[in-house]
Amino acid sequence: MFAVQTTPCMIFLDFEKPIAELYEELKNLQEIQSKGKIDVSASIREMEEKIEEERKKLYSNLTGWQKVQVSRHSERPYSLFYVQQMCSDFVELHGDRNIKDDKAIVGGFASLEGRTVMFIGHQKGINTKMRQYRNFGMANPEGYRKALRLMKMAEKFNKPIVTLIDTPGAFPGIEGEERGQAEAIAKNIREMFRLKVPVICVIIGEGASGGAIGIGIGDKVFMLENTWYTVISPESCSSILWRSWDFKEKAAEQLQLTAEHMHRNGLIDGIIPEPVGGAHNDPHAMAGILKDVLIRELDALSAQTPQERINARIEKFCNMGVVVE
Amino acid sequence: MSWFKRNKEGITTSTEQKKEVPDGMWFKCPSCKATLLTKDLAENRYVCSDCSYHCRIGSEEYFEILFDHNEFTELDANMTSGDPLQFQDTKSYSSRLKDAINKTGLKDALRTAHGKINGQDLVVCCMDFEFIGGSMGSVVGEKIARGIDYSRKHRYPLMIISKSGGARMMESAFSLMQMAKTSAKLALMHDEKIPYISLMTDPTTGGVTASYAMLGDLNIAEPGAMIGFAGPRVIKETIKRDLPKGFQTAETVLETGFLDFIVDRRELKEKISTLIRLFAN
């Protein structure tokens, strides 16, 4: 896939201040250039290279908390963007056939290089209004039940499933509790182990606890480079264990929630690299990278029998944990 | 004008000295304030004889209540938790574990046993809230997984008694994956058609509710038990309004359709034994 050239993201996180300052200088140079009196094109090129270098340097050494910040970047691509970029003929399907359509989880069939795939993913909004509409990517039970309905349909028609995970958590609300948030997540986890078709899960942003694992049981579980996945957000962990909101950086380190840690601890199958500066800095390139991985992995998984996949899936998760006897 | 006056406001008992199971001569019911003889309370299955309040009890008491003549074989009794992340908050996880082991005499937050209940085989995995809030880490997950495997191997019915504050943060994603592990084993058990009864006791929350606790062929609960996914404080802060009366109690969860029935602890053994018979015959 040929990446579409995009302009770099101009919304900077606090640790990106050095880059923001360089862009400021670049802007000044460009203004001088536009006036046409002095030729500063060499300086502009130099500055652009300097920015790229600075970005590379910064992003090669992010802390856990900084990765959490990148995973939540407001310009980061979300599920629908990826599906639309990677596939053709995406048809979104709605509703849990029970109570309603949850906007925080989307799903539907799409064609990935000629192969029909069921995509299911959390969806965050791209502006204030849409963020509310999508409930900030926090699903209610009907979202998980919609996901399960679509997974069962994919299984019925022998289509592989790809889930894209990006949630700050399952929504903690009265109605969600009354409609069985816990039951919906529990059932999804159990049923995903029994699916006869290939299942690939990718953490594309935030992987918060039950809300994430509720669509997170797969033959392969990947994390994008600048994402996090664990049992609690660093902020909540700080507030519970340190009894203060001020230890989120420390909590993020202690929780070992980055892709690198998760892979080293044997809890995910692989890390998918992001473009320099994070997925939000070049979303099209990111979609291209993800697409290649999905095609490669789906090819490999399709070579196995359903029973082989199910056995391996169960065995993989059953080996997770550290006990002393 | 009162005869006695408190010198210090509020409760001054330190957490270590608080007792889950009363072991003094007398016991004051936290619900109706009736004063009962501890001996009588134990005979009444730790249920208040005046108001039927169900005191929080642990695996030792449940095993005694359920198994004939309190005879059972404990499985994986010596399994303890590793500290894969060398986790450190205001205290290190390893020292938290050591303290919990010393304080409770337990190895972790769950014990598994096989015994007879009115002559019928039953495997029981029972959580202990005393041990770091009954939190689910690798040991809880692994013991449940093995308990399920034991049930499957012998085709004995399984009961899991849940009582938990949720996942154990100090094991981070390892604890999250226990939701997957236990549910994976339950998927196998589900296909092999071996009955699984999930008993939810006060409190059953978080990742425990969102995995094995809600996956029973039968989901049952003790009266008044708090059952939920998110904690009430978190919900209140999120939605910024008060929670309805009885929210997240067993009685409400029964009404919303997620429980088969609520069982009084004094009838627990008979009811479970009847169910096992019904499944078997």
Side-chain angles (χ1 to χ4, degrees):
Chain A
M1 169 164 173
F2 296 96
V4 184
Q5 201 59 47
T6 47
T7 48
C9 178
M10 296 304 279
I11 299 169
F12 298 103
L13 299 164
D14 56 13
F15 68 86
E16 289 180 310
K17 206 171 156 224
I19 302 178
E21 282 166 1
L22 291 177
Y23 268 114
E24 216 36 60
E25 286 180 40
L26 178 68
K27 212 174 104 192
N28 291 341
L29 286 171
Q30 282 164 336
E31 262 170 38
I32 295 169
Q33 183 73 8
S34 69
K35 284 177 187 152
K37 285 182 186 157
I38 319 162
D39 181 21
V40 288
S41 55
S43 308
I44 289 178
R45 255 196 315 280
E46 223 169 80
M47 187 55 73
E48 280 169 345
E49 275 164 25
K50 207 168 162 192
I51 289 171
E52 272 321 290
E53 241 168 68
E54 182 64 35
R55 210 194 296 274
K56 208 178 266 175
K57 202 177 92 196
L58 209 56
Y59 269 78
S60 65
N61 206 11
L62 295 182
T63 66
W65 173 248
Q66 287 168 339
K67 290 203 175 189
V68 172
Q69 289 177 286
V70 178
S71 78
R72 293 172 180 165
H73 198 290
S74 59
E75 296 293 302
R76 209 177 157 81
Y78 302 135
S79 293
L80 286 175
F81 173 85
Y82 283 117
V83 178
Q84 278 150 359
Q85 283 299 311
M86 299 187 297
C87 304
S88 55
D89 296 337
F90 172 58
V91 181
E92 191 180 343
L93 304 168
H94 297 271
D96 70 341
R97 296 294 187 272
N98 189 15
I99 174 150
K100 60 154 74 156
D101 181 47
D102 194 318
K103 311 298 183 201
I105 289 184
V106 295
F109 283 126
S111 174
L112 182 72
E113 292 294 325
R115 176 187 350 226
T116 304
V117 174
M118 174 61 80
F119 280 91
I120 294 163
H122 296 104
Q123 182 65 30
K124 291 177 174 174
I126 50 169
N127 53 38
T128 307
K129 202 175 157 193
M130 287 307 283
R131 276 189 268 279
Q132 277 175 349
Y133 178 74
R134 297 292 182 189
N135 202 25
F136 305 90
M138 295 186 283
N140 272 301
E142 44 276 17
Y144 294 99
R145 293 189 179 117
K146 168 165 80 175
L148 186 59
R149 177 179 80 82
L150 297 183
M151 289 190 253
K152 294 276 187 191
M153 179 159 64
E155 183 184 39
K156 177 177 169 184
F157 295 103
N158 199 26
K159 307 298 177 206
I161 298 163
V162 172
T163 72
L164 303 174
I165 295 165
D166 186 10
T167 181
F171 186 66
I174 293 174
E175 294 79 8
E177 291 285 325
E178 286 173 349
R179 292 198 288 266
Q181 188 73 282
E183 193 268 353
I185 291 171
K187 194 182 230 167
N188 276 24
I189 298 173
R190 186 185 70 194
E191 292 307 304
M192 286 184 85
F193 278 110
R194 304 172 72 230
L195 290 169
K196 295 187 180 76
V197 292
V199 188
I200 297 176
C201 309
V202 186
I203 319 283
I204 58 166
E206 300 186 84
S209 198
I213 206 170
I215 56 167
I217 305 298
D219 301 307
K220 295 284 175 188
V221 179
F222 297 107
M223 287 174 75
L224 300 194
E225 192 183 337
N226 299 310
T227 62
W228 66 276
Y229 188 18
T230 189
V231 76
I232 190 164
S233 73
E235 289 96 326
S236 305
C237 180
S238 163
S239 101
I240 296 171
L241 289 181
W242 281 266
R243 294 174 197 282
S244 145
W245 295 98
D246 302 335
F247 294 86
K248 51 187 193 291
E249 288 95 347
K250 187 108 199 286
E253 293 308 317
Q254 289 296 312
L255 287 167
Q256 299 194 14
L257 41 58
T258 65
E260 220 178 328
H261 283 123
M262 288 292 284
H263 193 230
R264 199 183 308 150
N265 289 332
L267 301 175
I268 57 163
D269 297 293
I271 303 169
I272 301 174
E274 294 187 16
V276 176
H280 61 278
N281 202 48
D282 195 345
H284 293 93
M286 184 68 251
I289 298 168
L290 179 60
K291 182 179 177 177
D292 290 344
V293 173
L294 291 179
I295 290 172
R296 187 187 73 215
E297 296 295 330
L298 285 175
D299 283 344
L301 287 170
S302 305
Q304 299 172 12
T305 67
Q307 201 54 52
E308 280 171 351
R309 279 192 299 261
I310 290 173
N311 292 349
R313 200 185 297 156
I314 289 175
E315 204 190 318
K316 178 177 76 179
F317 281 96
C318 285
N319 283 329
M320 293 177 184
V322 177
V323 299
V324 182
E325 284 180 276
Chain B
M1 185 74 186
S2 55
W3 286 15
F4 300 104
K5 200 161 181 278
R6 266 181 190 272
N7 282 329
K8 286 184 203 156
E9 280 296 312
I11 300 156
T12 52
T13 315
S14 61
T15 315
E16 300 82 58
Q17 283 168 355
K18 283 183 188 164
K19 284 279 171 201
E20 291 282 343
V21 180
D23 59 358
M25 255 294 256
W26 296 95
F27 174 72
K28 189 173 173 187
C29 172
S31 176
C32 72
K33 313 290 178 216
T35 309
L36 311 162
L37 265 175
T38 308
K39 186 170 68 69
D40 293 347
L41 184 72
E43 270 168 26
N44 205 34
R45 307 300 191 212
Y46 302 93
V47 175
C48 173
S49 50
D50 279 17
C51 71
S52 291
Y53 173 80
H54 283 52
C55 297
R56 279 186 189 174
I57 55 173
S59 56
E60 192 186 334
E61 291 78 21
Y62 278 109
F63 289 164
E64 192 185 339
I65 290 167
L66 288 166
F67 291 125
D68 300 347
H69 320 297
N70 198 17
E71 285 171 11
F72 58 86
T73 317
E74 189 172 345
L75 310 175
D76 309 302
N78 292 316
M79 193 189 290
T80 54
S81 185
D83 180 10
L85 307 177
Q86 307 279 308
F87 195 93
Q88 178 108 28
D89 49 272
T90 52
K91 205 170 159 187
S92 73
Y93 178 40
S94 58
S95 70
R96 270 185 205 277
L97 282 170
K98 230 173 270 160
D99 290 353
I101 290 170
N102 289 335
K103 188 187 119 197
T104 61
L106 298 161
K107 294 280 163 56
D108 209 286
L110 180 127
R111 285 167 75 215
T112 308
H114 164 230
K116 303 258 186 197
I117 161 166
N118 290 340
Q120 307 169 100
D121 286 292
L122 180 68
V123 176
V124 180
C125 301
C126 182
M127 300 193 77
D128 280 293
F129 194 78
E130 269 185 288
F131 197 98
I132 318 187
S135 52
M136 170 178 59
S138 299
V139 173
V140 170
E142 184 63 24
K143 275 194 170 182
I144 288 182
R146 292 195 199 176
I148 295 169
D149 280 343
Y150 187 88
S151 280
R152 290 170 57 218
K153 187 173 162 200
H154 300 279
R155 295 197 67 85
Y156 296 150
L158 170 76
M159 174 153 137
I160 301 179
I161 303 174
S162 295
K163 184 185 282 289
S164 172
R168 190 172 295 169
M169 270 174 285
M170 295 76 101
E171 291 190 30
S172 194
F174 282 101
S175 73
L176 181 67
M177 296 308 161
Q178 304 313 308
M179 292 170 71
K181 180 194 281 188
T182 53
S183 307
K185 291 289 184 187
L186 287 173
L188 293 170
M189 191 161 180
H190 184 82
D191 289 338
E192 289 160 9
K193 306 189 188 341
I194 300 161
Y196 160 40
I197 299 166
S198 167
L199 172 65
M200 291 170 245
T201 71
D202 189 58
T204 299
T205 61
V208 167
T209 321
S211 58
Y212 52 86
M214 275 291 169
L215 290 177
D217 293 300
L218 300 173
N219 294 333
I220 64 177
E222 286 189 343
M226 188 262 169
I227 300 165
F229 176 62
R233 195 176 51 88
V234 176
I235 298 173
K236 223 169 143 175
E237 277 170 16
T238 307
I239 61 171
K240 310 225 164 20
R241 60 188 158 110
D242 284 333
L243 303 174
K245 204 165 161 269
F247 181 63
Q248 292 186 320
T249 58
E251 290 70 18
T252 308
V253 181
L254 177 73
E255 277 313 304
T256 50
F258 291 95
L259 292 176
D260 287 281
F261 57 81
I262 291 171
V263 59
D264 188 301
R265 199 183 286 153
R266 289 164 290 193
E267 293 154 18
L268 180 65
K269 181 170 178 172
E270 284 315 306
K271 203 112 184 206
I272 298 297
S273 137
T274 304
L275 282 167
I276 297 172
R277 203 164 48 243
L278 289 168
F279 275 117
N281 296 336

